[in-house]
Structures are given as C-alpha cells and as structure tokens.
C-alpha cells in the first residue's frame, strides 16, 4: 500500500482521492478551502493544513486543480510545493493544462530529483466517483509503470502517450473532440426540435446508429430533462477551449470548427451559465433558433 498525498478536492479530485482510500492506500488530503476535506476525512483520509504538510510523508503526490493558474499557485506561488517535495517522490498533475505548463513542471521537479508525470483524465464527475476515468500520461515510461497500480483504481484505462507533456497534449486533442460532440448534439437537437421531431425519438436513433456516442446518450438525456447540473463546468470548458486555441496557434494548425464552438461557449459563460454543466452552451444555440429542446 502506498502513502499518497492528494491536493485539490474539486469534483474530480474528491472522487479520485476516495477511490485511492477504497483501494486501501493511505491518503493525506489538502484543499485550498479546507472544509471540502471533511467528506474525505470521514472516509479515512488524513487532513493536512498546508501542501507541505500533506506531502511530508508521501511516496506519491497527485493534484487536480482547475487550471494552469491554480497549478502555478500551488507549485510556485502560495502553495510552495516545489520547496516541499524531495528526491524519490513521484508527482502527478492530473489537471487539464497547457503542455507548456507540463513542460515547466517536468523541468522544475527534475531539478529537485523528483519524478513527474503529466496525467490528465477524460471523464467527469461520475467517472471520477466510479473509478472509470480514462487517463493519458506523459513522462518517463518506467515512472508510469511504477505508478500504474495507483492509477488502476481510478480508471477504466490508462494510456502512456510518450515523453514530457504528451499526456497534456493528448488531453487537449481529446477535448477538441468532446467540444465538437457537444456542438453536434446541440445543433442537431435544436434543428430536430424546430422541425417538429420528438427529441426522445431523435435520441433513440442517435443511440443505435454508426455515429452513436456515449456523450450523445448521457448529455442528450439530461438536455431533454433540462438538467444542466454540473458534472464538468462550462467555465472549465471555456478554459479548455482557450487552451486548445493556444495549442493549435503555437503549432500553426487551423481549427476553424473549434474556433466557432469556442465563441458559443464564451457567449454561454457571458450569459452567466459558467457554473452550470458544459452542455449549457447548447442554450446559446436554442436562443438563436427560438426553440427549447425538451421532452
Ligand atoms: P473544480 O470542481 O472546480 O475544482 C477545482 C479545484 O482546484 C478545487 O479543489 C479548488 O480549490 C482548486 N483550486 C482552484 N484554484 C486554486 C488555487 N489558486 N490554488 C489551489 N487550489 C486551487 O474542478 P474539477 O474538479 O471539475 O476539474 C479539475 C480539472 O480536471 C480541471 O482542469 C478540468 O478541466 C479537468 P477550492 O475548493 O476552490 O478552494
């Protein structure tokens, strides 16, 4: 059993920390807002009052925060994690960040003799809670293999993608596909509704065809119930859309479709739906067409 420090108990982090506990590991948690540690403490975690205290006895350190700025704060800013880690430890960043941030983390930890992996995750609230995430990892393969037993209780699959920042790069590539699927679902359901089709019948067809997708099923069912309860916040989807835009720009890759979707997401956030589920930006498409998808 491994001594793990888990930092950041948002929607994703709290599910992962709970699954590490269930798998029998010793888990010390820290969260910027300390009250959020309570449910994990009730499940057997130790609570630390600073990141340094959390990692003091840890063999492996994991964190999953909202964005690049939060990671900067934890590692080099208020959290001073970089001063607290010591040689021999392995650190995993499971946040969705720009590959440049991952490269900066790889370099900084290497200087301290600490092994680091960028290990962002696909899936949202339910997959985090059920240990059904899909994890993509960048860094040294032998370090990845060493921590695999810790990733298994969190995930359905793990994929080693290559050296530093390859996990972060894969995550942005995958999130580009997610953005298109949500946009496709939204445009299709709005068009279908305006054409007089029954949304349940439409979802029934989408469920069986050779263009089916679990996203169409899950988000589609929530959409017709008008359920925008947060599993993955729209404000974080905008953060990811901005990261994808920067990533593509750096590599001189045109992504005209993703650029159009980013505009819709931005409008949704500006309308005040940032704390709702990512699918809330479909309401922008509905407003444009003057219909609401419901059933
Ligand atoms: P949440 O539920 O918004 O959780 C975000 C977490 O990040 C939460 O623990 C926050 O602490 C923490 N956070 C945010 N800013 C900071 C700073 N500056 N310093 C330390 N900790 C911070 O996000 P999710 O769990 O849904 O998503 C996490 C990642 O997975 C994200 O990259 C997604 O795109 C994918 P708080 O509780 O607010 O004090």
């Amino acid at each position: 059993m491994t001594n793990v420090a888990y930092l950041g108990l948002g929607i994703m982090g709290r599910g992962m920390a709970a699954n590490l506990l269930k798998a029998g590991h010793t888990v010390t948690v820290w969260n910027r807002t300390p009250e959020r540690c309570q449910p994990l403490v009730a499940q057997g975690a130790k609570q630390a009052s600073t990141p340094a205290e959390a990692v003091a006895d840890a063999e492996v350190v994991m964190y999953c925060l909202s964005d690049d700025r939060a990671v900067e704060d934890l590692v080099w800013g208020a959290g001073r994690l970089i001063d607290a880690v010591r040689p021999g430890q392995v650190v995993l960043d499971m946040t969705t960040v720009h590959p440049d941030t991952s490269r900066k983390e790889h370099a900084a930890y290497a200087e301290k003799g600490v092994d680091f992996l960028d290990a962002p995750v696909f899936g949202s609230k339910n997959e985090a809670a059920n240990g059904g995430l899909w994890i993509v990892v960048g860094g040294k393969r032998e370090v990845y293999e060493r921590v695999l037993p810790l990733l298994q209780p969190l995930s359905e699959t793990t994929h080693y993608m290559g050296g530093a920042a390859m996990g972060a790069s894969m995550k942005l590539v995958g999130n580009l596909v997610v953005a298109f699927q949500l946009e496709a679902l939204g445009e299709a359901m709005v068009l279908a509704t305006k054409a007089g089709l029954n949304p349940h019948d439409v979802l029934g067809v989408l469920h069986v065809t050779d263009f089916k997708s679990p996203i169409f099923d899950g988000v589609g069912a929530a959409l017709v119930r008008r359920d925008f309860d947060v599993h993955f916040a729209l404000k974080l989807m905008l953060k990811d859309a901005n990261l994808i835009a920067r990533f593509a720009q750096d590599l001189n890759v045109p992504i005209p479709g993703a650029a159009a979707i980013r505009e819709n997401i931005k409008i949704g956030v500006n309308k005040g739906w940032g704390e709702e589920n990512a699918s809330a930006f479909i309401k922008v498409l509905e407003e444009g067409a003057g219909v609401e998808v419901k059933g």
Side-chain angles (χ1 to χ4, degrees):
M1 288 302 112
T2 306
N3 218 330
V4 186
Y6 206 105
L7 316 176
L9 302 175
I11 290 177
M12 303 302 288
R14 72 176 78 118
M16 288 190 254
N19 283 318
L20 288 167
L21 281 169
K22 271 189 219 144
H25 299 291
T26 303
V27 182
T28 305
V29 293
W30 171 84
N31 193 62
R32 181 182 60 174
T33 309
E35 304 78 65
R36 294 215 170 129
C37 294
Q38 272 322 306
L40 272 298
V41 170
Q43 293 167 65
K46 296 181 202 164
Q47 181 174 353
S49 52
T50 61
E53 186 189 325
V55 306
D57 296 323
E59 299 162 81
V60 175
V61 177
M62 298 183 179
Y63 46 90
C64 186
L65 308 179
S66 35
D67 55 15
D68 299 65
R69 184 174 299 178
V71 168
E72 294 264 347
D73 260 9
L74 171 69
V75 180
W76 295 282
R80 296 307 309 166
L81 181 61
I82 199 68
D83 296 334
V85 290
R86 49 183 167 69
Q89 288 179 319
V90 183
V91 176
L92 286 85
D93 184 359
M94 313 188 86
T95 313
T96 302
V97 293
H98 192 282
D100 284 350
T101 300
S102 300
R103 277 186 278 271
K104 188 174 164 192
E105 292 173 278
H106 274 277
Y109 287 113
E111 255 183 43
K112 302 269 309 187
V114 170
D115 284 313
F116 175 77
L117 298 170
D118 46 294
V121 302
F122 291 111
S124 55
K125 184 178 171 184
N126 292 343
E127 291 79 15
N130 303 335
L133 296 166
W134 301 277
I135 307 182
V136 288
V137 184
K140 289 190 199 137
R141 186 186 275 278
E142 57 92 7
V143 179
Y144 163 74
E145 278 162 9
R146 224 182 320 140
V147 299
L148 254 185
L150 285 175
L151 298 183
Q152 272 149 0
L154 313 182
S155 60
E156 184 174 289
T157 63
T158 60
H159 281 83
Y160 176 73
M161 304 307 300
M166 287 303 160
S169 299
M170 179 64 227
K171 174 63 180 161
L172 295 186
V173 168
N175 274 20
L176 182 142
V177 177
V178 172
F180 272 87
Q181 290 207 345
L182 288 175
E183 177 79 18
L185 177 73
E187 290 187 18
M189 295 305 285
V190 167
L191 180 62
T193 302
K194 198 140 191 193
L197 286 159
N198 178 321
H200 291 284
D201 294 344
V202 177
L203 289 178
V205 175
L206 296 189
H207 178 64
V208 295
T209 49
D210 61 351
F211 47 91
K212 63 189 167 196
S213 148
I215 288 187
F216 295 164
D217 290 347
V219 177
L223 176 66
V224 297
R225 295 198 298 274
R226 307 308 293 167
D227 172 0
F228 297 100
D229 234 32
V230 69
H231 288 238
F232 171 58
L234 184 61
K235 66 177 182 190
L236 291 181
M237 189 171 182
L238 177 57
K239 177 264 296 189
D240 288 354
N242 289 335
L243 288 177
I244 293 165
R246 220 178 102 205
F247 183 46
Q249 172 93 4
D250 294 346
L251 295 170
N252 216 10
V253 173
I255 49 166
I261 298 168
R262 178 161 73 122
E263 292 309 308
N264 283 338
I265 299 170
K266 228 185 268 176
I267 294 169
V269 169
N270 288 334
K271 280 182 176 288
W273 302 328
E275 303 294 334
E276 295 185 22
N277 200 44
S279 53
F281 84 84
I282 294 174
K283 291 191 275 186
V284 175
L285 302 170
E286 293 179 326
E287 285 191 357
V291 289
E292 214 173 67
V293 180
K294 58 182 174 211

